[in-house]
Amino acid sequence: IETVWPVEGQPLGTLVYYHGGGWIIGDIDSHQAHAIRFANRSRVVVVNVDYRLAPEHPFPQGVDDAIAAAKWAAANLARLGGEGRPLCVGGDSAGGNFAAATALVCRDSGIKLAAQVLIYPATDMRMDTKSYEMFGEGFFLTRKGMEWARANYVGDDPALIDDPRVSPLRATDLAGTAPALVYTAGFDPLRDEGIAYAAKLKAAGVKVVHRNFDSLIHGFVGMSAVVQAAARAMDDIVAGLRHELANLS
C-alpha cells in the first residue's frame, strides 16, 4: 500500500482506495494522482492499495487483498485518519467492484464504514444490460474488453459470476451496508449496473447519493487533466466525499 496524506488540515477520515484496470492492469502509480486529489480535496488519508492482479492471481486473490487492506486500515486508524475518525472505501471500475464487495464483507464483519465511493463500478458480471448493447463498442470500454477481463479474472463459471464478491448486485441482502456515493457515466457499458446497484441499495434502506455524468465515458477519472467535463466530475466526487465526512464531524 501507499499512504497519501492531505497537505493541509486535520484529516476528516481515512479512505481505502482501489484502482481500476479490469482486475488485470493498473497499480498505485497509475492512480496516484487520484489518491492525491482525494487526500487534498476530500481531506482524507488515502490508503492506495496495490492488490494482486489477474490472470496470475485470479478471483478471489485480488478481492481478498482489498478486504485485507480495509481490515488493516480499521485496525490502524490511530496512525491514519485518527482514532474515532470515519473509515471509507472507494474505487473506480474494477476498484469500485472491490469497494462494493469490501463494504458487504465489512458489514458482515462488524467493521463500520462511513461511506463507499463507487465510481462507474462493475457490479454485475453477467453483462446483460441495455447499456452494454448501446455502448459496447466505440466508447473506450468495450464488451469484448470486459469479456476478456472477466475470463481472466473469474472465468465463465456461473456460480462464481454470481458470487457477491464478483457481482455485488447479486447479493441477496444489502441492508446495513455503508452509505454509498455512486457515480456513473452516460456513455458507459457499466452505466446500467451502477444505476441498478444504487437503486437496490436505496431499496434496502441504505443512504445513497447517485450522480450520472451524462456526457462522459468510462474511465473519465483518468481524463481530468485534458477533459474539462471530467475535471468537473472529479471535483464533484471529491467534494461529495468531503461533504459526507464533514457532516459526521
Side-chain angles (χ1 to χ4, degrees):
I1 63 172
E2 172 189 57
T3 306
V4 182
W5 290 73
V7 173
E8 296 180 351
Q10 179 72 21
L12 295 174
T14 300
L15 171 66
V16 181
Y17 193 85
Y18 311 112
H19 67 79
W23 305 278
I24 295 171
I25 61 174
D27 54 29
I28 56 177
D29 292 330
S30 69
H31 282 60
Q32 187 181 60
H34 313 322
I36 292 171
R37 185 189 293 256
F38 270 109
N40 291 330
R41 301 284 187 87
S42 301
R43 222 173 84 195
V44 291
V45 175
V46 179
V47 178
N48 195 10
V49 181
D50 193 19
Y51 55 84
R52 288 173 290 179
L53 299 173
E56 293 83 0
H57 302 285
F59 174 80
Q61 295 178 65
V63 72
D64 283 349
D65 289 348
I67 293 164
K71 290 182 176 180
W72 176 86
N76 288 274
L77 284 181
R79 57 183 174 132
L80 293 169
E83 195 71 49
R85 295 280 186 178
L87 174 64
C88 311
V89 295
D92 59 286
S93 194
N97 170 271
F98 280 175
T102 298
L104 289 170
V105 172
C106 285
R107 175 200 63 183
D108 296 338
S109 302
I111 296 174
K112 181 175 176 55
L113 297 178
Q116 50 179 320
V117 184
L118 312 180
I119 306 172
Y120 39 77
T123 66
D124 187 0
M125 293 295 278
R126 290 188 186 184
M127 298 164 46
D128 58 1
T129 60
K130 185 69 173 178
S131 58
Y132 262 102
E133 296 178 19
M134 297 172 66
F135 311 119
E137 289 186 36
F139 296 91
F140 180 64
L141 179 66
T142 65
R143 171 184 285 277
K144 286 184 178 179
M146 280 299 295
E147 289 173 345
W148 176 76
R150 181 177 66 182
N152 281 279
Y153 174 53
V154 73
D156 58 4
D157 183 343
L160 290 183
I161 288 172
D162 284 350
D163 188 308
R165 293 171 296 168
V166 174
S167 297
L169 187 61
R170 299 293 162 183
T172 55
D173 181 17
L174 298 180
T177 313
L181 304 174
V182 184
Y183 301 98
T184 51
F187 295 93
D188 181 1
L190 304 188
R191 182 194 66 189
D192 289 357
E193 64 198 76
I195 293 172
Y197 196 60
K200 189 170 182 178
L201 285 167
K202 189 173 183 178
V206 176
K207 179 184 177 182
V208 176
V209 175
H210 171 241
R211 173 81 184 274
N212 185 61
F213 296 105
D214 297 333
S215 66
L216 294 176
I217 62 173
H218 191 87
F220 67 74
V221 298
M223 305 170 190
S224 57
V226 293
V227 178
Q228 191 175 50
R232 288 196 300 267
M234 281 304 298
D235 286 344
D236 287 351
I237 291 169
V238 294
L241 178 57
R242 180 163 179 167
H243 176 76
E244 289 298 310
L245 295 181
N247 283 343
L248 294 175
S249 61

